[in-house]
Amino acid sequence: MSDESTQRDYRDTVFLPKTAFPMKAGLPQKEPGIQARWQEIGLYEKLRESRAGREKFILHDGPPYANGDMHIGHALNHILKDMVCRTQNLLGKDAPYVPGWDCHGLPIEWKVEEKYRKKKLDKNAVDPKEFRAECRAYAQHWVDTQREQLKRLGIMGDWDNPYLTMDFQAEATIVAELMKFAEAGNLYRGSKPVMWSPVEETALAEAEVEYEDLTDSPQIDVAFEITECPNAPELEGAYAVVWTTTPWTIPVNQAIAYGADLSYDLVEWNGRKYLIAFACQAETMKRWGYEPTTGEGSLAGAYTGSKLAGAKARHPMHHLGGFYATPRPFLAGDFVTTESGTGLVHMSPDHGEDDFELCKANDIHPVFAVMDDGRYRDDWAWLGADDLDGEGKPRRRSVINKPFNSPEGPICSDLREADALLSASADYAHSYPHSWRSKAKVIFRCTPQWFVPMDEVLDSGDFDLAVPDPIGGAVSLFVHHDHSTLRQRAMSEIERVRFVPEKGRNRIGSMVEGRPDWVLSRQRAWGVPITLFVRPDGSYLQDPAVNARVVEAVREDGVDAWEEARKAEFLGPDHNPDDYEMVMDILDVWFDSGCTHAFVLESGRWPDLQWPADLYLEGSDQHRGWFQSSLLQSCATRGRAPYDQVLTHGFTMDAKGKKMSKSLGNTIDPLKIMEQTGADIIRLWALSVDFTEDHRIGDEILKGVGDQYRRLRNTFRYLLGALDGFVGDMSDAGEIPELEVYILSLLSELDGKLRQAVEDYDYNTYTRLLVDFCNEDLSAFFFDIRKDSLYCDGPDSVTRNAYRTVLDLLFHSLVRYAAPVLVYTAEEVWQSRYPEDGEQGGSVHLLEWPPVPTVPADREKWSKLRALRERVTEAIEPLRRDKVIRSSNEATVIVPAGAVPEVVTDAQLAELFITGTVTRSQGDEVRVTKSTDAKCGRCWRLLPDVPEDGALCGRCKSVVAARDTAA
RNA sequence: CAUUGGUUAGCUCAGUCGGUUAGAGCAGUAGAAUGAUAAUCUACGUGUCGCGGGUUCGACUCCCGCACCAAAAGCCA
């Protein structure tokens, strides 16, 4: 039908997208270069300049601990922070980011000590200053390492000026903040049992303790002979039975507690009478190996606990004399139950909170028999040395030493010998506190410590602060001199602050509601000293002039300034050094980090920052950590929280939802992912998961993220190609076709939803909206329909120009929307279109949220059209499957007239459906047949005005003619 | 042991203030085209909405119990 001469190859007359932007990303190779360029052009500084004077948004960075490589948790946390700052900057606000590190504390000290141990050096023999210098160097090393890793991740911030809690200035501020507590009297020295780690030789705060389930704990039953019982003399000579899981506390037993309302009874066994709570008899005797057939057991007559008032028993080791010879009184304790044990509780005020309180009320005091390292004092009467020290000299073992407490250990052996041990085994299951860092067991131990009281009225509350509503609007004044306690203030701030997600409020609320006084002191070396001068009676000096000298000294010389040699210098002429002792404890590191708001936001060292912060953003574990320490610190010193909003994220689990741990070998290393697939992939992952909950990462998930990434990348690649050589703008777009108007309205809708997602910190919605828009509305709809116009319309075609104008707008919008997520790829896209450094400041990250026109589009009409379009493509599918037609262009379509919105032409329908001619009928069906028209050799459409296959349609004929003429 | 949160398609997530066939993207399968080409387009989801009860005309959605996962946290003498 056509001879060869008419079959021209029109390929080179078609305007195909052209771009140098590669489809393959090669992120691992490309990202470091982009990163280097940012540094070169001073991107962060440029951004600050460009946002100067704008409304501020202050995200205050919670300091990660400077110890070890970046892990997936750090990565997630920092990506979220980066997303917050970048989106706020994009919105035109001034949102600086000053990263920081937590540098003091036990874990670092521990690592440095490990080095000593390896070299067989005694830490205590090293000069403290030298030791601290090593800790400082160790922390600095990891600060530098993590800084590079976070930069590589694309986190934008003031990396040249991070804050470190070990900076002298920070240390001085921490001291100054502590002195605010001291000067206001909001500190006290107490001597009560606290969690103590014999391994680390320091007191621990709740936050530093974790509970581990044990199944092999010892449990013993010990008999105390009753020597006196005024209300029931017949009990004299019987034995009171106590049960304990900590045999090592028996040597410091000082009393026995009973429940006044509980019912007690004697049992007879092996010729002796034992007093046990009635409810506990069966279980207790089972431990002793009691067999019912022996005929022994419960004796007649029950005793209510109150009969034991005034009774006394003697310690099984009473023959040792001294401490052990003192009769042990029976004391009524409301904490005594019959749920476990014997209903009689052995009391050692040194090692239990209940014990301490009950004994204190009865004028029985701790004896401090256990030393810092967990061993009994050498002069303690009971328990000989049964272990060898490093030099082979005999010494006592630590009380957390397993053999020490075992049924064969020295305690049990001695008790057995004294005929006081009724049972001993190592099979008790319970959860037991361990040190968070060393994983070693901790003990309750009574030592003098410094506390911040939670329930004392804070009388220094001259807080001249207006507290704005976090959402804006109404301003409520903080009530001054309200005689509230720290706990009350903290609770009311928890009411005020915005928590995202909302459940965080309950979480921190219930913790603050029930927490004990804050134990501030630690008996360690690497930290900020508690710079107090104490009098022999335990009271401390409250002289602002002295404190000012101390703060100044720390500002000059760091924490090393607090040394005995400078005592007189600090005290000055007004105080006699002989009247005071310097406290040599250091501060809980949570106090350090609780002060970051003071030395970072308030100090003026970072002029871009201001107090209070708009937002704190950390993992949900910080409800008991930084969120809380900052809240308490600030409430006590400033009357309000240092933040208006708190955002928390969950933790990253492995692909199966299991916790990641090095020992399980299921960790995902973000450094490796960056090396293998790129930082943008981790970022896209972090911003697509529901970070408010625990979430997963794994190979399959990352593969999915990679696919998502490629689709986004390809959308940009298409835009770049289609916009090749485009220089126009909206002003010369002329009449805009309805399809373009519709797309613009979709864009405007997307824009609104993205803004809302930013407002809600809902980033997985943010990325999903972006991806869905690119896939659904652009790639599969708009781009597909307009492909014909882009490829085949003439250069001056109104449609084509309008399309490219809208593509340009889409480009500028999408690249900005994507920039906070795909920081590297967005920059690559931007550079690809605007390679000149000067253009728009040289980086996509300096741009602001795009202005998107709000255009009126008949959305109802378009949803009707898109529904009809779906019906048509669906109807075409069977014909393609049967190979009747191949391309949708070959289809002639008859649609029900009723399904077509008004004022839509058949030609417009054909364009939308990407089919041949479309007509309408009165039926209900969409009918598709193979077109009988010929196929245009250039645009491949089947049209009535194409004379024969391979010839040109009218449109193409004129485009080619114009082109030929030009050539 | 008690507490809190979670459990919707292979994966990431929506959703339902109780009401007709529970939705997207990605993956998968099949196909088209070969002019976004390591790309693009089309079609395809019988998912016990963790399990078991209850309330209700009706529950994935409310209530109770259980299981599993996770967190935090108190007691455990």
Side-chain angles (χ1 to χ4, degrees), chain A residues 1 23 32 56 133 202 205 223 291 307 347 359 366 407 475 479 555 563 573 578 586 606 703 838 845 867:
Chain A
M1 51 190 254
M23 184 163 299
K56 282 192 184 295
T202 181
E291 294 293 333
K307 288 224 166 168
M347 295 280 99
C359 289
V475 170
V479 181
R555 198 181 304 283
E563 55 180 339
D578 296 338
I586 63 163
W606 293 271
K703 185 172 165 284
H845 300 296

Side-chain angles (χ1 to χ4, degrees), chain A residues 111-122:
Chain A
K111 286 285 177 190
V112 174
E113 276 184 32
E114 255 172 23
K115 278 192 215 164
Y116 283 126
R117 277 195 292 275
K118 270 182 198 157
K119 289 188 225 153
K120 303 257 188 235
L121 287 171
D122 181 6

Side-chain angles (χ1 to χ4, degrees), chain A residues 62 111 157 164 228 253 287 372 388 449 538 578 633 889 952:
Chain A
K111 286 285 177 190
L164 307 182
E228 248 179 85
N253 169 284
R287 287 197 295 274
D372 290 358
L388 300 178
Q449 301 291 346
D578 296 338
Q633 205 287 330
N889 273 319
L952 295 181

Side-chain angles (χ1 to χ4, degrees), chain A residues 298 321 332 500 586 709 712 746:
Chain A
S298 191
V500 181
I586 63 163
Y709 170 83
L712 281 172
L746 286 179

Side-chain angles (χ1 to χ4, degrees), chain A residues 488-626:
Chain A
Q488 287 162 347
R489 271 185 203 167
M491 289 308 288
S492 78
E493 279 300 276
I494 289 168
E495 281 301 302
R496 181 187 65 81
V497 169
R498 175 190 180 197
F499 285 87
V500 181
E502 178 58 32
K503 63 189 174 193
R505 190 190 310 279
N506 281 337
R507 194 148 165 192
I508 192 170
S510 59
M511 286 179 193
V512 170
E513 200 172 18
R515 66 159 296 153
D517 289 350
W518 187 355
V519 187
L520 279 190
S521 45
R522 297 292 183 278
Q523 290 65 47
R524 303 295 301 187
W526 179 224
V528 178
I530 295 182
T531 52
L532 290 175
F533 290 98
V534 202
R535 302 185 188 94
D537 67 356
S539 66
Y540 50 86
L541 183 64
Q542 291 168 287
D543 182 342
V546 172
N547 294 340
R549 281 194 286 274
V550 173
V551 170
E552 206 36 57
V554 174
R555 198 181 304 283
E556 284 299 312
D557 304 318
V559 295
D560 287 340
W562 186 250
E563 55 180 339
E564 196 67 35
R566 297 177 74 170
K567 187 175 180 183
E569 173 198 337
F570 292 146
L571 283 171
D574 298 339
H575 309 282
N576 180 357
D578 296 338
D579 296 344
Y580 296 95
E581 202 176 306
M582 286 172 88
V583 172
M584 281 312 190
D585 288 353
I586 63 163
L587 273 169
D588 175 13
V589 283
W590 289 109
F591 191 88
D592 290 25
S593 62
C595 293
T596 57
H597 69 93
F599 62 80
V600 179
L601 301 183
E602 279 184 343
S603 69
R605 231 177 113 189
W606 293 271
D608 296 331
L609 301 179
Q610 65 183 28
W611 193 93
D614 290 280
L615 182 69
Y616 275 32
L617 193 178
E618 305 298 331
S620 55
D621 56 339
Q622 295 306 324
H623 285 110
R624 74 166 174 180
W626 192 53

Side-chain angles (χ1 to χ4, degrees), chain A residues 119-183:
Chain A
K119 289 188 225 153
K120 303 257 188 235
L121 287 171
D122 181 6
K123 168 215 160 189
N124 296 324
V126 179
D127 175 45
K129 286 187 184 178
E130 195 182 310
F131 180 77
R132 281 196 287 264
E134 286 205 46
C135 291
R136 197 172 282 279
Y138 183 89
Q140 188 64 51
H141 164 75
W142 285 112
V143 166
D144 293 340
T145 303
Q146 288 189 6
R147 167 164 50 192
E148 289 314 306
Q149 292 168 339
L150 290 167
K151 277 157 84 171
R152 174 67 187 83
L153 192 57
I155 310 300
M156 180 163 59
D158 196 356
W159 294 112
D160 294 335
N161 304 292
Y163 76 83
L164 307 182
T165 59
M166 65 178 180
D167 284 346
F168 288 0
Q169 207 155 2
E171 291 176 338
T173 305
I174 295 165
V175 168
E177 290 295 317
L178 177 70
M179 290 304 100
K180 287 184 185 175
F181 281 75
E183 286 171 23

